[in-house]
């Protein structure tokens, strides 16, 4: 029983952390988060102008706005 409720029980936290890092789903989640972050950085830094591009052509009627 934890007498001091405002203090963490370090043994219980250590056991929970040990169970967490030995769960394969934890490492899959970490890997997916890292891949998502790398993809986001690739999109931000890999595109000229910081992410937004305009087409080099201007479509004409009927595929675009009327002049």
């Amino acid at each position: 029983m934890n007498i001091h409720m405002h203090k963490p029980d370090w043994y219980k936290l250590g056991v929970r952390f040990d169970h967490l890092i030995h769960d394969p789903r934890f490492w899959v989640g970490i890997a997916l988060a890292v891949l998502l972050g790398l993809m986001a950085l690739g999109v931000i830094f890999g595109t000229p102008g910081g992410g937004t591009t305009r087409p080099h052509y201007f479509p004409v009627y009927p595929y675009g706005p009327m002049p």
Side-chain angles (χ1 to χ4, degrees), residues 3-64:
I3 297 171
H4 302 287
M5 295 303 288
H6 62 280
K7 290 184 179 179
D9 185 1
W10 293 108
Y11 176 75
K12 286 184 182 178
L13 285 175
V15 169
R16 278 182 108 179
F17 186 71
D18 188 51
H19 288 163
L20 178 68
I21 64 171
H22 285 94
D23 187 3
R25 293 175 294 179
F26 172 74
W27 295 110
V28 170
I30 294 292
L32 287 174
V34 167
L35 286 175
L36 184 66
L38 288 174
M39 286 191 301
L41 287 174
V43 166
I44 291 170
F45 293 116
T47 313
T52 58
T53 59
R54 293 188 331 186
H56 296 287
Y57 63 92
F58 297 101
V60 293
Y61 182 79
Y63 302 107

